[in-house]
Amino acid sequence: RMSDNKKFNDVDARPAVTSKCVIVANAVDSISCLDKLTGNTLWQSAEGGSSQAVTVANNTVIYSTENSVVLLDADSGRLKKKYAIDKKYGNITSPVALEKWVVVGTGQGPILVIDTQSHRIIETFATGRGITAPLTYDDTTRSFYVTSNQGNIY
């Protein structure tokens, strides 16, 4: 056991693991990096909590809050970039990191592709009434798969 329930208010999502730590999102207000051996907090970010799974790619922690996608330095927890997502799109799914892009779905809007170098949304894909399930990426075909809130599979 790495921690007791007094450290986290509401942990709903799958944690991410790096060579040094386990990264845990608290749905209420924060994300924490816990030392894999001791369970001690190495860093904590108050950029917002998440009930979605955290992703780590290229030494960057990527996660979605209620209305943003956040990128943190995996070693320090320092904010690299925070992308505001229009509230009209609803909740944001777990991010998928792919090369220089982050892809997320939205509960009431399109799938969004964010370019982490230009810091812009470069592509959208409408699924009707949005998605709440996480996107799945197939490396062999370089394709995404997702089920929509309308019952379609893309």
Side-chain angles (χ1 to χ4, degrees), residues 30-56:
S30 64
I31 185 168
S32 301
C33 178
L34 307 177
D35 184 281
K36 284 168 64 171
L37 299 176
T38 66
N40 292 335
T41 301
L42 299 176
W43 56 257
Q44 186 172 44
S45 173
E47 292 298 329
S50 182
S51 61
Q52 300 292 328
V54 175
T55 300
V56 178

Side-chain angles (χ1 to χ4, degrees), residues 93 105 111 125 127 130-137 144-149 151-154:
T93 65
I111 294 171
F125 178 77
T127 60
I131 65 170
T132 51
L135 295 125
T136 299
Y137 181 71
F144 282 96
Y145 296 91
V146 69
T147 54
S148 76
N149 293 342
N152 297 316
I153 299 175
Y154 296 96

Side-chain angles (χ1 to χ4, degrees), residues 90-107:
N91 291 336
I92 303 167
T93 65
S94 299
V96 176
L98 178 65
E99 298 172 14
K100 64 176 188 164
W101 304 287
V102 172
V103 183
V104 294
T106 59

Side-chain angles (χ1 to χ4, degrees), residues 114-125:
I114 302 168
D115 184 312
T116 60
Q117 293 176 345
S118 69
H119 305 295
R120 294 185 3 231
I121 294 173
I122 59 166
E123 189 70 51
T124 63
F125 178 77

